[in-house]
Amino acid sequence: KAILPRLFTLVKNGAFGSAAESFPCLVPFADLCLQASPQIADKIHIGLMQSLWESLVSARVARAGDEGTCTATVRAYFECLLHGWQNCVAGGADENQVAQRVDELTAGGLIPCIDALLIPDGRGSTPVPGGRAPLLASTVKCIELLCSRDELNVARPYALKVLVTRLQTCRAVLGGACEEEEEEEALALSSMLCAFKRDGAGSVHVFPM
């Protein structure tokens, strides 16, 4: 536990310029930590994702304009989220603990990405300097993996419930409604994320499905 605050500080600061080299090691390191102390699962994944997000939107990354750094940060973010879902039963968690853990991971990890991509500026979205393109691609891929990867079977129903609720809210803001089953709906709505384009001023438009 003593090492986690220092790790999170390192990540928040973009590994001090070595994100592309350092961030791919985060999930293997988290895996080693969980093998030694399964009870820290709740802390390590949320902590890493919060730190990675802070790094992504920080002035440091914005000024650098380094596409490689942004891509490495976004990739590490989703790797941590997927690893957290996959290890939702770490430490012998019971069903209620699993549900709570997955809800926290999804609400704290995936939903900020959905909001940043779907909610128009001025309605609570978080700008992602230099990172929207990799964030968009990775968010769509993450939803597809959630719906298809066998090792996420335990986390899937809880994560989908949180995800679909938020996507429906976003779509209600933007217009339209959904009636598909949850898994089909999540996949269908993830395709909506692909329907973005930017105009010359950098604004984002969503086209109806």
Side-chain angles (χ1 to χ4, degrees), residues 30-200:
D31 206 40
L32 288 173
C33 290
L34 289 180
Q35 290 178 33
S37 303
Q39 68 274 13
I40 69 170
D42 294 329
K43 293 184 177 181
I44 193 165
H45 294 108
I46 292 293
L48 282 173
M49 286 189 296
Q50 289 175 342
S51 300
L52 286 162
W53 188 266
E54 186 171 331
S55 174
L56 185 65
V57 302
S58 69
R60 181 188 300 274
V61 172
R63 286 196 302 268
D66 184 347
E67 183 177 348
T69 297
C70 291
T71 300
T73 305
V74 170
R75 177 175 296 177
Y77 182 93
F78 283 99
E79 286 176 349
C80 288
L81 176 57
L82 290 165
H83 189 260
W85 280 335
Q86 186 174 335
N87 288 273
C88 62
V89 296
D94 61 27
E95 185 175 349
N96 289 334
Q97 290 173 318
V98 168
Q100 181 179 357
R101 185 174 291 172
V102 175
D103 286 354
E104 290 176 353
L105 284 166
T106 308
L110 188 57
I111 300 308
C113 303
I114 298 295
D115 288 353
L117 290 166
L118 282 180
I119 298 180
D121 291 341
R123 294 180 181 170
S125 63
T126 302
V128 186
R132 186 174 293 275
L135 180 66
L136 172 58
S138 295
T139 300
V140 172
K141 184 63 176 177
C142 181
I143 294 172
E144 292 172 348
L145 290 174
L146 172 63
C147 292
S148 62
R149 187 177 279 183
D150 289 342
E151 53 266 40
L152 299 178
N153 285 343
V154 175
R156 182 176 299 127
Y158 306 110
L160 284 177
K161 184 176 180 180
V162 176
L163 168 63
V164 169
T165 297
R166 189 59 183 164
L167 284 170
Q168 286 176 325
T169 300
C170 290
R171 194 165 186 187
V173 171
L174 296 165
C178 303
E179 297 180 355
E180 297 96 338
E181 294 297 325
E182 281 190 351
E183 187 164 330
E184 294 177 356
E185 184 174 331
L187 284 168
L189 286 173
S190 73
S191 70
M192 186 173 72
L193 294 172
C194 292
F196 282 92
K197 74 173 183 180
R198 289 173 173 270
D199 62 20

